[in-house]
Amino acid sequence: MIFYGTKGSLIDSKRTTAIECDTCKQITSHTVSVYGKYGYLYWIPVFPMSKKVFSECNHCKATNEFSGMNEKLRRASIDIKKETKTPIWYWSGLGIIAILVAIGYYYSAQHDKDVVNYIKEPLAGDVIRFKNKNTNYYSTLKISSVTKDSIFVIQNNYETDKKSGISDIDKSKNYTTEPFGLGRNEIQEMFDKNIFYDINR
C-alpha cells in the first residue's frame, strides 16, 4: 500500500504596521502567518502545493483568512506572502528520488562494464541469464568449471515467463543436470545475438 496525501505547516509569521481591525476597530499591528501545503509520499514531503495567509489582531486576537481581511491588511499579507520562501525541505522527497535514480544509474552502468569483463574472464559460479527463443521463457546457466578453450555450464531445471522471476529460480538446488561445454567464442556469440543477456558473479 502506498501512503500519500497532503499536509501543511507554518512557514513564517510577521507583524504588520498599524492597521485598523474590523472586529475591535483598534488601529494596531496584526500578526500575519504564512502556512505552506505540500504533498507527501510515505510521510516524506515531495513537492510544495500552495501557501495561505492568516492574520491575527494583536489587540483583540480576532483571526481572519485572506478573504475576510480588509483591503489594507490584504495588501500587507500579500507582501509578506511574497517575501516568504518555500522551505527547501518541502522538496526533500524529490531530492531523495533523484539520488536513488542516480545511484541506480551508476550501478547499472557499472554492472554493464562488469558483464563485459565477466564474458572475457568467466569464473566458476558465475550465472548466465538467457531467454529461450523457442518458449519465450527465461532461465539460467551456472558455470561449473572453466578451461582454456571451454566453459562448462549446468542448466537450471526451471524457467520463468518474466525476467523479474529469474531471482526466484536461481537457487543452488535447481542445478542438478549434467554439465555441458560451450566454447568461449560461443558465449560471446550468444550475448551478441541477445540470447544471453546478463551474467552475475
Side-chain angles (χ1 to χ4, degrees):
M1 176 180 278
I2 298 176
F3 294 97
Y4 62 93
T6 61
K7 198 172 182 180
S9 69
L10 175 64
I11 300 176
D12 198 9
S13 292
K14 291 183 179 179
R15 286 195 172 196
T16 68
T17 55
I19 298 174
E20 183 178 352
C21 172
D22 291 339
T23 301
C24 67
K25 305 304 180 182
Q26 294 293 315
I27 297 176
T28 183
S29 63
H30 296 253
T31 298
V32 175
S33 298
V34 182
Y35 286 84
K37 183 179 181 182
Y38 59 85
Y40 67 80
L41 186 64
Y42 290 105
W43 301 283
I44 299 174
V46 179
F47 54 86
M49 299 179 68
S50 62
K51 287 189 289 189
K52 287 187 176 183
V53 289
F54 297 86
S55 68
E56 181 183 77
C57 172
N58 289 323
H59 180 262
C60 71
K61 304 303 179 183
T63 60
N64 284 297
E65 294 185 13
F66 183 77
S67 59
M69 300 177 192
N70 59 47
E71 188 60 33
K72 193 170 183 180
L73 191 52
R74 280 189 181 187
R75 287 198 300 269
S77 297
I78 289 171
D79 291 340
I80 292 172
K81 182 180 178 182
K82 286 180 180 179
E83 293 170 1
T84 303
K85 297 185 180 298
T86 300
I88 294 176
W89 62 268
Y90 274 27
W91 302 91
S92 56
L94 285 183
I96 292 171
I97 291 171
I99 291 171
L100 292 176
V101 169
I103 291 173
Y105 177 80
Y106 169 79
Y107 279 108
S108 176
Q110 186 61 47
H111 180 68
D112 290 343
K113 292 179 182 178
D114 290 340
V115 167
V116 173
N117 294 325
Y118 296 164
I119 294 170
K120 292 179 181 178
E121 299 294 335
L123 296 176
D126 289 354
V127 176
I128 298 170
R129 298 184 173 191
F130 71 92
K131 182 176 183 179
N132 188 322
K133 296 296 184 181
N134 295 322
T135 64
N136 285 324
Y137 274 61
Y138 300 89
S139 192
T140 58
L141 300 171
K142 180 176 283 188
I143 298 176
S144 60
S145 61
V146 178
T147 67
K148 182 178 179 181
D149 300 316
S150 301
I151 297 167
F152 291 88
V153 298
I154 305 172
Q155 185 163 342
N156 196 313
N157 298 331
Y158 297 93
E159 293 182 328
T160 176
D161 60 346
K162 295 179 181 178
K163 273 188 177 182
S164 58
I166 284 288
S167 58
D168 293 330
I169 65 172
D170 182 20
K171 303 181 187 301
S172 297
K173 64 181 181 180
N174 294 341
Y175 297 96
T176 60
T177 58
E178 287 296 316
F180 62 92
L182 294 172
R184 286 179 176 266
N185 290 337
E186 286 184 83
I187 299 290
Q188 184 63 63
E189 288 175 8
M190 292 292 195
F191 273 98
D192 292 340
K193 293 177 180 179
N194 293 320
I195 296 173
F196 293 171
Y197 65 87
D198 197 9
I199 180 169
N200 288 306
R201 178 166 295 171

